[in-house]
Amino acid sequence: LDKTLLASKGVKRIQGSDYVLEKQQENWSLVSPVNSELNQQKAKDLVAAFESLRVTGRIERAVDETNSGTQTAVIQITNDTNELSYSFIQLGGNYVVKRSDVDHYFSLSEADYQRITALTAAQLQAASPPADEAQGVPADQGTDAETGPASELDFKENAPLPQ
């Protein structure tokens, strides 16, 4: 069994449950949700997960994806040559993957399953600075519950109070 048979090279587009990523030149962009800044490293990690996807075995029977204890995540990708649909299925403690162009189901590790299915649009978005930093206050000076916001007056002895 070729353990990399479901890996996909040359990924150009990934559509998850609540996001769409597209490659534009060397960088990735978050097409949906619109107007969202993308964390490039997380996008590259997701692409790398598809490029290095390894199965651990072939499942000889059909998998009932409609079973009540089953969680299924469907992710569409476009690579250099194809549009492919991956179904990632969790059956209790077992992890299964099926690709649209291959007739069989395959087992995969929990780590590979999580690397691909756990990402959401919110996790792919670039982190904005904490609110205090966005307002020019260093994060470590923030606010104090008893005295309120840190200010210049806090650091000057005998400073006159503002009128």
Side-chain angles (χ1 to χ4, degrees):
L1 174 67
D2 176 5
K3 302 221 183 248
T4 62
L5 79 126
L6 298 186
S8 187
K9 303 290 185 204
V11 176
K12 296 179 187 261
R13 184 175 195 270
I14 302 173
Q15 180 177 342
S17 61
D18 65 347
Y19 63 87
V20 177
L21 295 173
E22 286 185 358
K23 189 168 188 180
Q24 298 174 346
Q25 285 102 29
E26 293 303 310
N27 287 320
W28 287 87
S29 64
L30 195 55
V31 178
S32 173
V34 293
N35 298 324
S36 297
E37 195 66 31
L38 175 66
N39 179 322
Q40 288 292 321
Q41 189 56 53
K42 287 194 178 185
K44 289 175 183 175
D45 290 347
L46 180 59
V47 171
F50 276 102
E51 290 178 342
S52 65
L53 181 63
R54 295 180 60 82
V55 299
T56 56
R58 190 171 105 181
I59 297 173
E60 298 299 327
R61 57 182 167 66
V63 173
D64 181 5
E65 296 181 42
T66 62
N67 185 325
S68 63
T70 304
Q71 294 179 3
T72 301
V74 177
I75 300 177
Q76 311 280 343
I77 71 156
T78 304
N79 64 17
D80 291 331
T81 57
N82 295 311
E83 289 184 25
L84 301 167
S85 177
Y86 286 82
S87 295
F88 292 91
I89 306 151
Q90 180 179 356
L91 295 159
N94 298 308
Y95 301 91
V96 177
V97 61
K98 180 170 185 341
R99 195 170 79 182
S100 56
D101 63 335
V102 179
D103 289 334
H104 299 284
Y105 289 89
F106 298 88
S107 57
L108 75 158
S109 71
E110 179 181 4
D112 281 346
Y113 176 89
Q114 293 295 339
R115 259 184 5 159
I116 292 173
T117 63
L119 277 178
T120 63
Q123 292 169 320
L124 285 165
Q125 293 175 20
S128 52
D132 286 347
E133 277 186 37
Q135 296 170 3
V137 178
D140 59 347
Q141 290 183 3
T143 60
D144 183 321
E146 291 181 12
T147 61
S151 70
E152 291 182 89
L153 295 177
D154 294 333
F155 304 106
K156 294 180 184 173
E157 289 185 25
N158 301 323
L161 294 173
Q163 298 295 322

